[in-house]
Amino acid sequence: PQDTWYPVGGMKHFFETLLTPVKDRILYKQAVTRIEKTQKGFLVFTQDQQFECRVLISTIPVWNTTPLLHFPHKLKSLKPEGE
């Protein structure tokens, strides 16, 4: 489509740019079982650990993410009212 664009250097470059400042704090191959919203950010549960974070970047496919989310209140829609 005409409104599709790609970052200069491709998605790999985009990801590496995000990764650089936090490289030593990234946890790979963690099977997430639950994600809770907290006042300070998120609480992420794996099969044998839990992690607290201010920001959460997930590569879990969106259709697999919904069952993991446990938020205390309903999320607000970004769509204007009436749509």
Side-chain angles (χ1 to χ4, degrees):
Q2 291 180 350
D3 61 347
T4 301
W5 60 272
Y6 298 93
V8 175
M11 289 304 293
K12 182 178 179 186
H13 178 71
F14 174 74
F15 177 73
E16 287 173 349
T17 301
L18 290 174
L19 175 72
T20 302
V22 294
K23 196 174 197 173
D24 60 332
R25 294 183 287 164
I26 293 181
L27 302 170
Y28 294 96
K29 299 192 183 278
Q30 298 290 316
V32 175
T33 58
R34 182 179 177 98
I35 300 170
E36 292 181 7
K37 180 72 177 103
T38 66
Q39 288 183 350
K40 294 181 180 181
F42 299 92
L43 196 53
V44 180
F45 295 84
T46 66
Q47 293 173 340
D48 57 351
Q49 299 178 47
Q50 68 182 43
F51 306 94
E52 198 168 1
C53 58
R54 224 172 16 101
V55 176
L56 175 65
I57 299 172
S58 172
T59 58
I60 303 170
V62 68
W63 48 86
N64 293 345
T65 301
T66 305
L68 300 173
L69 300 176
H70 297 274
F71 290 5
H73 11 263
K74 186 177 176 181
L75 297 176
K76 294 180 184 176
S77 174
L78 296 177
K79 291 183 180 180
E81 285 187 37
E83 282 190 33

